[in-house]
Amino acid sequence: MIQETFPMIIGEEEAPNERTLLTLEDGPMMASPASVKYIVIHCSATRSTRDYTTEQLLRDHKTRGFRTVGYHFYIRRDGSVTQHRKLLEVGAHCRPWNRCSIGICYEGGLDADGHPADTRTPEQTEQFILLLMRMVKIFPGVRIRGHRDMPGSIPKACPCFDAEGVFGYLER
Ligand SMILES: [Zn+2]
């Protein structure tokens, strides 16, 4: 039995709920670079007034039975970026799309009161752009989408901003 300790539970009914996507590993590796069709953007669904460190993220995902963080990349509020999975390693962030997508998560997504909000800092946005530019170069034709935009996705809010509208211009 999996214990629901992930901090994303905090907040109200409309708050994004990442629990349901963190259920199973779909691993281990994608077939080829052509497998990558989407970059899926997530938020950690933690309050912008609180730290949610890489260590906490790792601990919480391991608690859920993952071998490591489910996302490929994590971008903290100060703009620091960490990679947690190899590019073609199947992630655990957006079922049933894990075998054809790369997951990028930014720290935040909830305001001080726990309501969904675009809490991206300028540093995060800058690193998002740099990272996404690298990804579209490596995976030409890849689409940039928010978690909530993926068909079959359950979270209503994640990543708490219009990822395609904001970053879609980077697609090529
Ligand atoms: Zn998400």
Side-chain angles (χ1 to χ4, degrees), residues 12-21 43 45 109-110 116-117 146-150 152-162:
E12 288 62 33
E13 207 176 291
E14 283 301 306
N17 185 336
E18 295 282 275
R19 281 177 297 170
T20 44
L21 66 108
C43 64
L110 299 181
H147 183 192
R148 66 186 181 194
D149 305 320
M150 298 302 287
S153 78
I154 293 152
K156 292 186 186 130
C158 180
C160 301
F161 71 97
D162 177 10

Side-chain angles (χ1 to χ4, degrees), residues 5 9 62 118 168:
T5 53
I9 308 166
K62 281 196 164 175
D118 183 357

Side-chain angles (χ1 to χ4, degrees), residues 91-118:
H93 59 94
C94 186
R95 302 195 82 204
W97 306 97
N98 288 322
R99 296 198 66 83
C100 62
S101 67
I102 285 174
I104 304 176
C105 178
Y106 75 99
E107 181 187 21
L110 299 181
D111 65 19
D113 298 319
H115 299 117
D118 183 357

